[in-house]
């Protein structure tokens, strides 16, 4: 958790949006694994939102997968299903088949 948080902060400070979103996704998962559901969900959401804002289409697919996993861990199954549906639609648009098996 410590390292993911530092990685996210460094990436954001120095203008590396790709690595920032990767670190945010990992941070969200770690925070949820440690019992911090709201903090974990917020980190995962921030990562996905940053991908979308920076136009990182393929990383956005991965971030949505991370967010969906976090939502499932938090027991928010309706939001998880909506996130997966959005990610599958994005995969159809951007052709990022790498994450498709994880979404299914």
């Amino acid at each position: 958790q410590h390292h993911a948080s530092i990685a996210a902060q460094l990436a954001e400070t120095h203008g590396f949006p790709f690595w920032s979103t990767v670190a945010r996704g990992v941070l969200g998962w770690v925070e949820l694994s440690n019992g911090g559901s709201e903090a974990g969900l917020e980190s995962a959401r921030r990562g996905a939102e940053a991908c979308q804002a920076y136009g990182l289409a393929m990383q956005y697919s991965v971030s949505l997968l991370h967010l969906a996993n976090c939502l499932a861990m938090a027991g928010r199954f309706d939001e998880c299903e909506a996130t997966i549906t959005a990610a599958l639609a994005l995969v159809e648009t951007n052709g990022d088949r790498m994450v498709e098996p994880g979404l299914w």
Side-chain angles (χ1 to χ4, degrees):
Q1 184 172 352
H2 173 75
H3 293 294
S5 179
I6 289 172
Q9 290 171 0
L10 284 172
E12 289 166 7
T13 298
H14 296 289
F16 294 102
F18 175 82
W19 293 111
S20 171
T21 60
V22 170
R24 287 279 165 211
V26 171
L27 181 60
W29 180 79
V30 171
E31 287 172 339
L32 275 164
S33 296
N34 291 333
S37 62
E38 289 307 313
L41 288 175
E42 180 59 28
S43 291
R45 276 195 183 93
R46 282 184 59 200
E49 289 167 356
C51 281
Q52 187 177 32
Y54 285 112
L56 303 171
M58 295 184 102
Q59 181 60 25
Y60 187 41
S61 303
V62 174
S63 292
L64 288 176
L65 174 61
H66 283 298
L67 177 56
N69 284 328
C70 289
L71 288 164
M73 288 175 66
R76 296 187 180 184
F77 301 114
D78 290 340
E79 291 176 75
C80 177
E81 183 179 6
T83 301
I84 290 171
T85 300
L88 287 169
L90 181 62
V91 165
E92 287 300 317
T93 302
N94 70 11
D96 184 18
R97 300 287 181 206
M98 179 183 74
V99 299
E100 190 174 23
L103 292 168
W104 285 110

